[in-house]
Amino acid sequence: MCGIVGAVAQRDVADILLEGLKRLEYRGYDSAGMAVVDNQSNLQRVRRLGKVAELDDALSLQPLAGGTGIAHTRWATHGEPSERNAHPHVSSDDLAIVHNGIIENHETLRDELTAKGYEFLSETDTEVMAHLIHHELTKNKDLLSAVLAAVNQLEGAYGTVVMDRRDPSKLVAARSGSPLVVGLGIGENFLASDQLALLPVTRRFQFLEEGDVCELRRNRIDIYDRTGKKVTRKIIESDLDHDAGDKGQYRHYMLKEIHEQPDSVRNTLEGRLGDKQVLIDSFGEKAEEIFSKVRNVQIIACGTSYHAGMVARYWFEEIAGIQCNVEIASEFRYRKSFVPANSLLVTISQSGETADTLAALRLAKESGYMASLTLCNVPGSSLVRESDLAFMTRAGAEIGVASTKAFTTQLVSLLMLVAAIGRHNGMANEQEADIVKSLRLLPSVIESSLSLSKPIEAMAEAFSDKHHSLFLGRGSQYPIAMEGALKLKEISYIHAEAYAAGELKHGPLALIDNNMPVVVVAPNNELLEKLKSNMEEVRARGGLLYVFADSDARLMQGDNVEVITLNRVADVIAPIVYTIPLQLLSYYVAIIKGTDVDQPRNLAKSVTVE
Ligand code: HGA
C-alpha cells in the first residue's frame, strides 16, 4: 500500500518519479504528490487529491525541475484523503518526507513536538516523522544521524524517504515493516517501495532489510543497520518484465490477468514436474528433509490467499493424510496458539510484504515450528527472505487490485506441495501421478473456461441492480464460493456472502427472495446430490439460482435457474477451474455497474500496513 519513489540524478527527475508513481498507483490512489529541490536549493512541491492523473495534470501546469526528488501515492490510514494530508510532508520548509506505514506513537510525539514549537498542518502520522527528524537535525550533525536518532523513537511501521533542501546531493531512507528497494543506475540512483516503479530506469536492485537506513547519492550508496553499523546488501538483477505494468489489448488489468491464467499456471509448473512426480527440489534444497518429517501444517494468510489456504486444507487432509489448520494472519498473530510436533508453517502472500502475514511468520519463528515455507509471487520479498523455504508462484506482476492469477497460481503451488508432502505420508504413487497429469492439463482446461465469457457476461446483467448476493459451495468448493463472493464485493460493491451450502437452513435461508441472486459452484462430485437439495431449498423460496456445473451434473435450466456448463475435470483441480467463471462474473457485473475495476474504492494492493 502507498507507493514511494525517490531519485538522485544529474537530470531532472520529475518524469521518472511520475512514471514510477503511475506504475505503483494500484498500491494506493486517494492522493499523490511530489517534491524536488530546485536549482535555487528550494523545496518545490505539488500534491493533489485523487489519482496520479490529477497530479500529472497539475504538473503539466506547474512543472517541477530538479535532480533530487521524492514522490508518493497514498492510501490513507491517518487523516482523510485530502491535499493537505497527501505526501510529501514538509518540516520548516527544509525537509520533505514520504512514508508508507503507521506510526503508532504519533500522538505522544505530536504533543512533544507541538510543545517544542512545531506546527502541524495535517492529521497524518507522517508529518510527525518530518518534524521529529527536523528536530533531531538540530542536535545531530547530518541527515543520516538525525534519521537514525528519529527512527529509534518510533513505534510502528515505516518505509520512508527523506530529502533536505540544504543538501540535495542525497536522500536518506529507512525501513522497518514496510518494504523499500534501492535501484542502482549509472551516475544516478533511486529508491522505491517496489522494483516495478523503477524498471524503466534500472534492473539492478538492493532490497533494504528490516531496520536498514540508507544514504543514497548519485555515485554512492551506503547502507547501515539499525545500530548504525555499515552493512552490504546483495545486488540482484530483476527478471521482471519491463512492460509488466502494461494493459496490452485489454480494457482492464483485471481482464488481462484473468486471461493470462493459462500462461501463468504454465509458468508455475515449468520445470517443476517429473513424469509422475512433483520435483521436490522446487521447494528448496532442504525441502526433502523437512517434508519427510512434517506431521502437521499451519497455513497463515490474508484475503484471497487465505481462501487458497482453505482449499489446501481439504487437499492436505484428504490427499496427504496430514492435519492442516488455516488461519487469518491478523488473528493468528494476536493469540496464543498450540503448535503440534513437527509442524510446518506455510505463509501465502502475493506480494511477500503483507504486514500481518509477515508479523505472523516472525512470531511463529519463536513458537516451535519445525520450519517455515512461503508461497509468494515476488522474489526477494520479505517473506521469501525470512522463510526457511520459498516457492515462487510465478504469476507475473499482478496490477489489478482484485487478485486473480495470483490466486490460481497459489492453488497450483499448494496442490504441488500437498503431493510433495503426501508422498512422505503414505500417499499412493498413482495418486501423485494423477495429480501431475491433471496439473499438466490445467492450462488448456482454464483456456476452455475462459471461452465462457459471453454467457457469463449475459448472466452478469441480472446482478447489476442487486444489492446483496449469496455464494454457495460444498467441500473444497466452499472456499471457491468465498473467493467468488470476495471478488464480487471488491469490484462491484454488491454485498456478497459465501456459505457452505449445508449451512443455508441454519440461518441465511431467511434472506432468500426474488431479489437475492444465489451463485452455486456445483461440479459433479460426491457432494452434488446434497448440493442439489440445497438448491431446491432456495428455489422453493423464490430465490434466483445461477449455477456453474459439470456437463454431466444433469442440472436443468428452468424457472429461476440459470446454468452455465463447464467441461468435466478431475475433482482435484476442480476448485482451480471453477474459480475462472466466478472471476469473469464479478468482472462483468463491475463493468455493467461502471465501477473502477482495477482500483476499487477504499482498497489498495499489497497490504503493507497492519
Ligand atoms: N500513515 C500514512 C501512510 C499510509 C500508508 O502507508 N498506507 O499504505 C498516511 O496515512 O498518510
Side-chain angles (χ1 to χ4, degrees), residues 1-3 27-28 72-79 85-87 89 99-103 123-126 157 159 178 604 606-609:
M1 286 179 159
C2 289
R27 297 294 178 87
H72 188 264
T73 173
R74 179 170 187 245
W75 184 83
T77 65
H78 290 59
N85 287 332
H87 303 210
H89 289 283
H99 161 228
N100 183 9
I102 291 174
I103 304 305
E123 290 111 49
T124 63
D125 47 344
T126 305
S178 291
S606 183
V607 187
T608 52
V609 293

PDB file of all heavy atoms in Angstrom, residues 1-3 27-28 72-79 85-87 89 99-103 123-126 157 159 178 604 606-609, ligand 1:
ATOM      1  N   MET A   1       0.839  -1.200   0.000  1.00  0.00           N
ATOM      2  CA  MET A   1       0.000   0.000   0.000  1.00  0.00           C
ATOM      3  C   MET A   1       0.863   1.234   0.000  1.00  0.00           C
ATOM      4  O   MET A   1       1.982   1.184   0.478  1.00  0.00           O
ATOM      5  CB  MET A   1      -0.836   0.022   1.256  1.00  0.00           C
ATOM      6  CG  MET A   1      -1.922  -0.992   1.158  1.00  0.00           C
ATOM      7  SD  MET A   1      -2.858  -0.988   2.618  1.00  0.00           S
ATOM      8  CE  MET A   1      -4.347  -1.727   2.041  1.00  0.00           C
ATOM      9  N   CYS A   2       0.375   2.306  -0.470  1.00  0.00           N
ATOM     10  CA  CYS A   2       1.138   3.536  -0.707  1.00  0.00           C
ATOM     11  C   CYS A   2       2.314   3.201  -1.613  1.00  0.00           C
ATOM     12  O   CYS A   2       2.895   2.129  -1.511  1.00  0.00           O
ATOM     13  CB  CYS A   2       1.681   4.166   0.557  1.00  0.00           C
ATOM     14  SG  CYS A   2       0.459   4.912   1.609  1.00  0.00           S
ATOM     15  N   GLY A   3       2.614   4.113  -2.496  1.00  0.00           N
ATOM     16  CA  GLY A   3       3.774   3.923  -3.367  1.00  0.00           C
ATOM     17  C   GLY A   3       4.777   5.018  -3.098  1.00  0.00           C
ATOM     18  O   GLY A   3       4.410   6.185  -2.895  1.00  0.00           O
ATOM     19  N   ARG A  27      -1.170   0.551  -5.698  1.00  0.00           N
ATOM     20  CA  ARG A  27      -0.868   0.379  -4.274  1.00  0.00           C
ATOM     21  C   ARG A  27      -1.640   1.354  -3.391  1.00  0.00           C
ATOM     22  O   ARG A  27      -1.610   1.265  -2.184  1.00  0.00           O
ATOM     23  CB  ARG A  27       0.631   0.613  -4.036  1.00  0.00           C
ATOM     24  CG  ARG A  27       1.526  -0.366  -4.727  1.00  0.00           C
ATOM     25  CD  ARG A  27       1.308  -1.735  -4.129  1.00  0.00           C
ATOM     26  NE  ARG A  27       2.102  -2.751  -4.771  1.00  0.00           N
ATOM     27  CZ  ARG A  27       3.336  -3.069  -4.437  1.00  0.00           C
ATOM     28  NH1 ARG A  27       3.946  -2.427  -3.476  1.00  0.00           N
ATOM     29  NH2 ARG A  27       3.954  -4.029  -5.063  1.00  0.00           N
ATOM     30  N   GLY A  28      -2.239   2.350  -4.021  1.00  0.00           N
ATOM     31  CA  GLY A  28      -2.949   3.349  -3.223  1.00  0.00           C
ATOM     32  C   GLY A  28      -3.232   4.503  -4.153  1.00  0.00           C
ATOM     33  O   GLY A  28      -2.366   4.850  -4.954  1.00  0.00           O
ATOM     34  N   HIS A  72       4.972  10.185  -4.000  1.00  0.00           N
ATOM     35  CA  HIS A  72       4.170   9.260  -3.188  1.00  0.00           C
ATOM     36  C   HIS A  72       2.756   9.155  -3.733  1.00  0.00           C
ATOM     37  O   HIS A  72       2.189  10.144  -4.191  1.00  0.00           O
ATOM     38  CB  HIS A  72       4.115   9.841  -1.759  1.00  0.00           C
ATOM     39  CG  HIS A  72       3.505   8.947  -0.730  1.00  0.00           C
ATOM     40  ND1 HIS A  72       2.190   9.035  -0.354  1.00  0.00           N
ATOM     41  CD2 HIS A  72       4.039   7.963   0.036  1.00  0.00           C
ATOM     42  CE1 HIS A  72       1.943   8.137   0.612  1.00  0.00           C
ATOM     43  NE2 HIS A  72       3.053   7.475   0.863  1.00  0.00           N
ATOM     44  N   THR A  73       2.213   7.968  -3.716  1.00  0.00           N
ATOM     45  CA  THR A  73       0.781   7.806  -3.955  1.00  0.00           C
ATOM     46  C   THR A  73       0.205   7.161  -2.696  1.00  0.00           C
ATOM     47  O   THR A  73       0.770   6.219  -2.160  1.00  0.00           O
ATOM     48  CB  THR A  73       0.492   7.032  -5.267  1.00  0.00           C
ATOM     49  OG1 THR A  73      -0.888   6.782  -5.355  1.00  0.00           O
ATOM     50  CG2 THR A  73       1.252   5.730  -5.365  1.00  0.00           C
ATOM     51  N   ARG A  74      -0.890   7.738  -2.189  1.00  0.00           N
ATOM     52  CA  ARG A  74      -1.302   7.443  -0.808  1.00  0.00           C
ATOM     53  C   ARG A  74      -2.533   6.551  -0.727  1.00  0.00           C
ATOM     54  O   ARG A  74      -3.441   6.644  -1.553  1.00  0.00           O
ATOM     55  CB  ARG A  74      -1.595   8.773  -0.109  1.00  0.00           C
ATOM     56  CG  ARG A  74      -2.053   8.650   1.340  1.00  0.00           C
ATOM     57  CD  ARG A  74      -2.079  10.016   2.036  1.00  0.00           C
ATOM     58  NE  ARG A  74      -2.350   9.884   3.452  1.00  0.00           N
ATOM     59  CZ  ARG A  74      -3.439  10.354   4.064  1.00  0.00           C
ATOM     60  NH1 ARG A  74      -4.344  11.025   3.386  1.00  0.00           N
ATOM     61  NH2 ARG A  74      -3.607  10.162   5.368  1.00  0.00           N
ATOM     62  N   TRP A  75      -2.561   5.741   0.307  1.00  0.00           N
ATOM     63  CA  TRP A  75      -3.764   5.031   0.760  1.00  0.00           C
ATOM     64  C   TRP A  75      -3.880   5.396   2.237  1.00  0.00           C
ATOM     65  O   TRP A  75      -3.118   4.915   3.075  1.00  0.00           O
ATOM     66  CB  TRP A  75      -3.597   3.529   0.556  1.00  0.00           C
ATOM     67  CG  TRP A  75      -4.818   2.740   0.910  1.00  0.00           C
ATOM     68  CD1 TRP A  75      -5.909   2.520   0.133  1.00  0.00           C
ATOM     69  CD2 TRP A  75      -5.078   2.064   2.145  1.00  0.00           C
ATOM     70  NE1 TRP A  75      -6.822   1.758   0.805  1.00  0.00           N
ATOM     71  CE2 TRP A  75      -6.341   1.461   2.039  1.00  0.00           C
ATOM     72  CE3 TRP A  75      -4.366   1.920   3.345  1.00  0.00           C
ATOM     73  CZ2 TRP A  75      -6.916   0.722   3.077  1.00  0.00           C
ATOM     74  CZ3 TRP A  75      -4.944   1.183   4.379  1.00  0.00           C
ATOM     75  CH2 TRP A  75      -6.201   0.594   4.232  1.00  0.00           C
ATOM     76  N   ALA A  76      -4.795   6.304   2.520  1.00  0.00           N
ATOM     77  CA  ALA A  76      -4.832   6.950   3.830  1.00  0.00           C
ATOM     78  C   ALA A  76      -5.037   5.976   4.981  1.00  0.00           C
ATOM     79  O   ALA A  76      -5.875   5.083   4.902  1.00  0.00           O
ATOM     80  CB  ALA A  76      -5.956   7.968   3.852  1.00  0.00           C
ATOM     81  N   THR A  77      -4.246   6.130   6.029  1.00  0.00           N
ATOM     82  CA  THR A  77      -4.569   5.448   7.279  1.00  0.00           C
ATOM     83  C   THR A  77      -4.870   6.475   8.376  1.00  0.00           C
ATOM     84  O   THR A  77      -5.742   6.265   9.196  1.00  0.00           O
ATOM     85  CB  THR A  77      -3.421   4.539   7.776  1.00  0.00           C
ATOM     86  OG1 THR A  77      -2.304   5.351   8.111  1.00  0.00           O
ATOM     87  CG2 THR A  77      -3.034   3.505   6.733  1.00  0.00           C
ATOM     88  N   HIS A  78      -4.153   7.583   8.388  1.00  0.00           N
ATOM     89  CA  HIS A  78      -4.330   8.597   9.430  1.00  0.00           C
ATOM     90  C   HIS A  78      -4.632   9.934   8.775  1.00  0.00           C
ATOM     91  O   HIS A  78      -3.745  10.579   8.229  1.00  0.00           O
ATOM     92  CB  HIS A  78      -3.078   8.709  10.292  1.00  0.00           C
ATOM     93  CG  HIS A  78      -2.855   7.508  11.158  1.00  0.00           C
ATOM     94  ND1 HIS A  78      -2.709   6.248  10.638  1.00  0.00           N
ATOM     95  CD2 HIS A  78      -2.788   7.379  12.513  1.00  0.00           C
ATOM     96  CE1 HIS A  78      -2.547   5.380  11.635  1.00  0.00           C
ATOM     97  NE2 HIS A  78      -2.596   6.044  12.780  1.00  0.00           N
ATOM     98  N   GLY A  79      -5.883  10.338   8.871  1.00  0.00           N
ATOM     99  CA  GLY A  79      -6.287  11.585   8.226  1.00  0.00           C
ATOM    100  C   GLY A  79      -6.954  11.265   6.900  1.00  0.00           C
ATOM    101  O   GLY A  79      -6.505  10.405   6.150  1.00  0.00           O
ATOM    102  N   ASN A  85      -3.401  16.274   3.519  1.00  0.00           N
ATOM    103  CA  ASN A  85      -2.817  15.059   4.115  1.00  0.00           C
ATOM    104  C   ASN A  85      -1.941  14.271   3.141  1.00  0.00           C
ATOM    105  O   ASN A  85      -1.333  13.275   3.527  1.00  0.00           O
ATOM    106  CB  ASN A  85      -3.935  14.147   4.633  1.00  0.00           C
ATOM    107  CG  ASN A  85      -4.573  14.709   5.903  1.00  0.00           C
ATOM    108  OD1 ASN A  85      -3.912  15.416   6.659  1.00  0.00           O
ATOM    109  ND2 ASN A  85      -5.843  14.421   6.114  1.00  0.00           N
ATOM    110  N   ALA A  86      -1.913  14.716   1.867  1.00  0.00           N
ATOM    111  CA  ALA A  86      -1.112  13.981   0.879  1.00  0.00           C
ATOM    112  C   ALA A  86       0.373  14.182   1.170  1.00  0.00           C
ATOM    113  O   ALA A  86       0.792  15.207   1.694  1.00  0.00           O
ATOM    114  CB  ALA A  86      -1.453  14.476  -0.526  1.00  0.00           C
ATOM    115  N   HIS A  87       1.163  13.179   0.804  1.00  0.00           N
ATOM    116  CA  HIS A  87       2.617  13.268   0.966  1.00  0.00           C
ATOM    117  C   HIS A  87       3.177  13.919  -0.294  1.00  0.00           C
ATOM    118  O   HIS A  87       2.529  13.870  -1.330  1.00  0.00           O
ATOM    119  CB  HIS A  87       3.238  11.883   1.121  1.00  0.00           C
ATOM    120  CG  HIS A  87       2.681  11.082   2.273  1.00  0.00           C
ATOM    121  ND1 HIS A  87       3.420  10.145   2.964  1.00  0.00           N
ATOM    122  CD2 HIS A  87       1.452  11.049   2.848  1.00  0.00           C
ATOM    123  CE1 HIS A  87       2.674   9.575   3.894  1.00  0.00           C
ATOM    124  NE2 HIS A  87       1.473  10.104   3.833  1.00  0.00           N
ATOM    125  N   HIS A  89       5.244  15.308   3.053  1.00  0.00           N
ATOM    126  CA  HIS A  89       5.043  16.288   4.117  1.00  0.00           C
ATOM    127  C   HIS A  89       6.356  17.026   4.338  1.00  0.00           C
ATOM    128  O   HIS A  89       7.440  16.502   4.064  1.00  0.00           O
ATOM    129  CB  HIS A  89       4.561  15.592   5.393  1.00  0.00           C
ATOM    130  CG  HIS A  89       3.154  15.121   5.229  1.00  0.00           C
ATOM    131  ND1 HIS A  89       2.080  15.973   5.295  1.00  0.00           N
ATOM    132  CD2 HIS A  89       2.651  13.901   4.931  1.00  0.00           C
ATOM    133  CE1 HIS A  89       0.958  15.294   5.057  1.00  0.00           C
ATOM    134  NE2 HIS A  89       1.290  14.020   4.838  1.00  0.00           N
ATOM    135  N   HIS A  99       6.213   8.479   3.230  1.00  0.00           N
ATOM    136  CA  HIS A  99       6.177   7.408   4.235  1.00  0.00           C
ATOM    137  C   HIS A  99       5.093   6.401   3.891  1.00  0.00           C
ATOM    138  O   HIS A  99       4.000   6.765   3.474  1.00  0.00           O
ATOM    139  CB  HIS A  99       5.906   8.067   5.614  1.00  0.00           C
ATOM    140  CG  HIS A  99       5.410   7.133   6.669  1.00  0.00           C
ATOM    141  ND1 HIS A  99       4.310   7.436   7.456  1.00  0.00           N
ATOM    142  CD2 HIS A  99       5.843   5.925   7.087  1.00  0.00           C
ATOM    143  CE1 HIS A  99       4.105   6.454   8.313  1.00  0.00           C
ATOM    144  NE2 HIS A  99       5.012   5.526   8.110  1.00  0.00           N
ATOM    145  N   ASN A 100       5.426   5.148   4.098  1.00  0.00           N
ATOM    146  CA  ASN A 100       4.462   4.070   3.984  1.00  0.00           C
ATOM    147  C   ASN A 100       4.465   3.342   5.329  1.00  0.00           C
ATOM    148  O   ASN A 100       5.521   2.934   5.797  1.00  0.00           O
ATOM    149  CB  ASN A 100       4.907   3.128   2.851  1.00  0.00           C
ATOM    150  CG  ASN A 100       3.923   2.009   2.610  1.00  0.00           C
ATOM    151  OD1 ASN A 100       2.823   2.024   3.168  1.00  0.00           O
ATOM    152  ND2 ASN A 100       4.298   1.057   1.789  1.00  0.00           N
ATOM    153  N   GLY A 101       3.310   3.218   5.947  1.00  0.00           N
ATOM    154  CA  GLY A 101       3.254   2.522   7.236  1.00  0.00           C
ATOM    155  C   GLY A 101       2.424   3.310   8.238  1.00  0.00           C
ATOM    156  O   GLY A 101       1.712   4.249   7.884  1.00  0.00           O
ATOM    157  N   ILE A 102       2.515   2.900   9.475  1.00  0.00           N
ATOM    158  CA  ILE A 102       1.746   3.553  10.543  1.00  0.00           C
ATOM    159  C   ILE A 102       2.658   3.783  11.737  1.00  0.00           C
ATOM    160  O   ILE A 102       3.304   2.849  12.220  1.00  0.00           O
ATOM    161  CB  ILE A 102       0.556   2.658  10.978  1.00  0.00           C
ATOM    162  CG1 ILE A 102      -0.483   2.581   9.857  1.00  0.00           C
ATOM    163  CG2 ILE A 102      -0.061   3.172  12.277  1.00  0.00           C
ATOM    164  CD1 ILE A 102      -1.615   1.608  10.136  1.00  0.00           C
ATOM    165  N   ILE A 103       2.717   5.015  12.197  1.00  0.00           N
ATOM    166  CA  ILE A 103       3.494   5.318  13.410  1.00  0.00           C
ATOM    167  C   ILE A 103       2.523   5.263  14.592  1.00  0.00           C
ATOM    168  O   ILE A 103       1.622   6.108  14.721  1.00  0.00           O
ATOM    169  CB  ILE A 103       4.165   6.714  13.301  1.00  0.00           C
ATOM    170  CG1 ILE A 103       5.032   6.785  12.037  1.00  0.00           C
ATOM    171  CG2 ILE A 103       4.976   7.030  14.561  1.00  0.00           C
ATOM    172  CD1 ILE A 103       6.082   5.702  11.904  1.00  0.00           C
ATOM    173  N   GLU A 123      -3.289  15.840   9.445  1.00  0.00           N
ATOM    174  CA  GLU A 123      -3.648  14.907  10.536  1.00  0.00           C
ATOM    175  C   GLU A 123      -2.809  13.633  10.468  1.00  0.00           C
ATOM    176  O   GLU A 123      -3.084  12.678  11.188  1.00  0.00           O
ATOM    177  CB  GLU A 123      -5.116  14.493  10.402  1.00  0.00           C
ATOM    178  CG  GLU A 123      -6.110  15.560  10.688  1.00  0.00           C
ATOM    179  CD  GLU A 123      -6.826  15.986   9.423  1.00  0.00           C
ATOM    180  OE1 GLU A 123      -7.306  15.120   8.671  1.00  0.00           O
ATOM    181  OE2 GLU A 123      -6.883  17.210   9.197  1.00  0.00           O
ATOM    182  N   THR A 124      -1.828  13.598   9.608  1.00  0.00           N
ATOM    183  CA  THR A 124      -1.125  12.325   9.391  1.00  0.00           C
ATOM    184  C   THR A 124      -0.079  12.029  10.473  1.00  0.00           C
ATOM    185  O   THR A 124       0.469  12.944  11.101  1.00  0.00           O
ATOM    186  CB  THR A 124      -0.376  12.342   8.046  1.00  0.00           C
ATOM    187  OG1 THR A 124       0.608  13.359   8.103  1.00  0.00           O
ATOM    188  CG2 THR A 124      -1.298  12.580   6.888  1.00  0.00           C
ATOM    189  N   ASP A 125       0.192  10.740  10.614  1.00  0.00           N
ATOM    190  CA  ASP A 125       1.302  10.310  11.469  1.00  0.00           C
ATOM    191  C   ASP A 125       2.638  10.637  10.789  1.00  0.00           C
ATOM    192  O   ASP A 125       3.662  10.810  11.446  1.00  0.00           O
ATOM    193  CB  ASP A 125       1.191   8.802  11.744  1.00  0.00           C
ATOM    194  CG  ASP A 125       0.912   7.978  10.492  1.00  0.00           C
ATOM    195  OD1 ASP A 125       0.506   8.557   9.467  1.00  0.00           O
ATOM    196  OD2 ASP A 125       1.106   6.752  10.536  1.00  0.00           O
ATOM    197  N   THR A 126       2.598  10.754   9.463  1.00  0.00           N
ATOM    198  CA  THR A 126       3.822  11.020   8.697  1.00  0.00           C
ATOM    199  C   THR A 126       4.417  12.384   9.033  1.00  0.00           C
ATOM    200  O   THR A 126       5.649  12.546   9.142  1.00  0.00           O
ATOM    201  CB  THR A 126       3.493  10.934   7.188  1.00  0.00           C
ATOM    202  OG1 THR A 126       2.904   9.667   6.940  1.00  0.00           O
ATOM    203  CG2 THR A 126       4.736  11.117   6.344  1.00  0.00           C
ATOM    204  N   ALA A 157       5.361   1.032  12.026  1.00  0.00           N
ATOM    205  CA  ALA A 157       5.994   0.562  10.782  1.00  0.00           C
ATOM    206  C   ALA A 157       6.259   1.742   9.855  1.00  0.00           C
ATOM    207  O   ALA A 157       5.472   2.676   9.781  1.00  0.00           O
ATOM    208  CB  ALA A 157       5.078  -0.439  10.089  1.00  0.00           C
ATOM    209  N   GLY A 159       8.311   2.683   5.906  1.00  0.00           N
ATOM    210  CA  GLY A 159       9.283   2.717   4.831  1.00  0.00           C
ATOM    211  C   GLY A 159       9.277   4.194   4.495  1.00  0.00           C
ATOM    212  O   GLY A 159       8.211   4.753   4.201  1.00  0.00           O
ATOM    213  N   SER A 178       7.867  -1.882   6.374  1.00  0.00           N
ATOM    214  CA  SER A 178       7.328  -1.570   5.046  1.00  0.00           C
ATOM    215  C   SER A 178       8.477  -1.613   4.055  1.00  0.00           C
ATOM    216  O   SER A 178       9.523  -1.027   4.313  1.00  0.00           O
ATOM    217  CB  SER A 178       6.705  -0.175   5.014  1.00  0.00           C
ATOM    218  OG  SER A 178       5.549  -0.157   5.788  1.00  0.00           O
ATOM    219  N   ALA A 604      -6.456  -1.145  -1.815  1.00  0.00           N
ATOM    220  CA  ALA A 604      -5.166  -0.978  -2.483  1.00  0.00           C
ATOM    221  C   ALA A 604      -4.485  -2.334  -2.461  1.00  0.00           C
ATOM    222  O   ALA A 604      -4.837  -3.211  -1.682  1.00  0.00           O
ATOM    223  CB  ALA A 604      -4.311   0.054  -1.776  1.00  0.00           C
ATOM    224  N   SER A 606      -1.272  -5.046  -2.092  1.00  0.00           N
ATOM    225  CA  SER A 606      -0.094  -5.271  -1.273  1.00  0.00           C
ATOM    226  C   SER A 606      -0.247  -4.582   0.084  1.00  0.00           C
ATOM    227  O   SER A 606       0.185  -3.456   0.287  1.00  0.00           O
ATOM    228  CB  SER A 606       1.138  -4.724  -2.005  1.00  0.00           C
ATOM    229  OG  SER A 606       2.284  -4.997  -1.272  1.00  0.00           O
ATOM    230  N   VAL A 607      -0.900  -5.282   0.994  1.00  0.00           N
ATOM    231  CA  VAL A 607      -1.327  -4.635   2.241  1.00  0.00           C
ATOM    232  C   VAL A 607      -0.174  -4.599   3.242  1.00  0.00           C
ATOM    233  O   VAL A 607      -0.047  -5.446   4.113  1.00  0.00           O
ATOM    234  CB  VAL A 607      -2.579  -5.331   2.811  1.00  0.00           C
ATOM    235  CG1 VAL A 607      -3.114  -4.563   4.002  1.00  0.00           C
ATOM    236  CG2 VAL A 607      -3.646  -5.412   1.726  1.00  0.00           C
ATOM    237  N   THR A 608       0.650  -3.561   3.095  1.00  0.00           N
ATOM    238  CA  THR A 608       1.859  -3.463   3.909  1.00  0.00           C
ATOM    239  C   THR A 608       1.614  -2.738   5.219  1.00  0.00           C
ATOM    240  O   THR A 608       2.565  -2.453   5.937  1.00  0.00           O
ATOM    241  CB  THR A 608       2.984  -2.757   3.130  1.00  0.00           C
ATOM    242  OG1 THR A 608       2.461  -1.529   2.632  1.00  0.00           O
ATOM    243  CG2 THR A 608       3.478  -3.600   1.978  1.00  0.00           C
ATOM    244  N   VAL A 609       0.353  -2.373   5.498  1.00  0.00           N
ATOM    245  CA  VAL A 609       0.062  -1.831   6.825  1.00  0.00           C
ATOM    246  C   VAL A 609      -0.821  -2.818   7.578  1.00  0.00           C
ATOM    247  O   VAL A 609      -1.547  -3.597   6.977  1.00  0.00           O
ATOM    248  CB  VAL A 609      -0.616  -0.432   6.780  1.00  0.00           C
ATOM    249  CG1 VAL A 609       0.339   0.595   6.243  1.00  0.00           C
ATOM    250  CG2 VAL A 609      -1.895  -0.463   5.976  1.00  0.00           C
TER     251      VAL A 609
HETATM  252  N1  HGA B   1       0.060   6.562   7.657  1.00  0.00           N
HETATM  253  C1  HGA B   1       0.353   7.265   6.437  1.00  0.00           C
HETATM  254  C2  HGA B   1       0.785   6.317   5.341  1.00  0.00           C
HETATM  255  C3  HGA B   1      -0.321   5.355   4.997  1.00  0.00           C
HETATM  256  C4  HGA B   1       0.115   4.101   4.307  1.00  0.00           C
HETATM  257  O1  HGA B   1       1.215   3.613   4.428  1.00  0.00           O
HETATM  258  N2  HGA B   1      -0.760   3.462   3.550  1.00  0.00           N
HETATM  259  O2  HGA B   1      -0.411   2.255   2.933  1.00  0.00           O
HETATM  260  C5  HGA B   1      -0.824   8.108   5.999  1.00  0.00           C
HETATM  261  O3  HGA B   1      -1.968   7.880   6.404  1.00  0.00           O
HETATM  262  O4  HGA B   1      -0.610   9.025   5.206  1.00  0.00           O
END
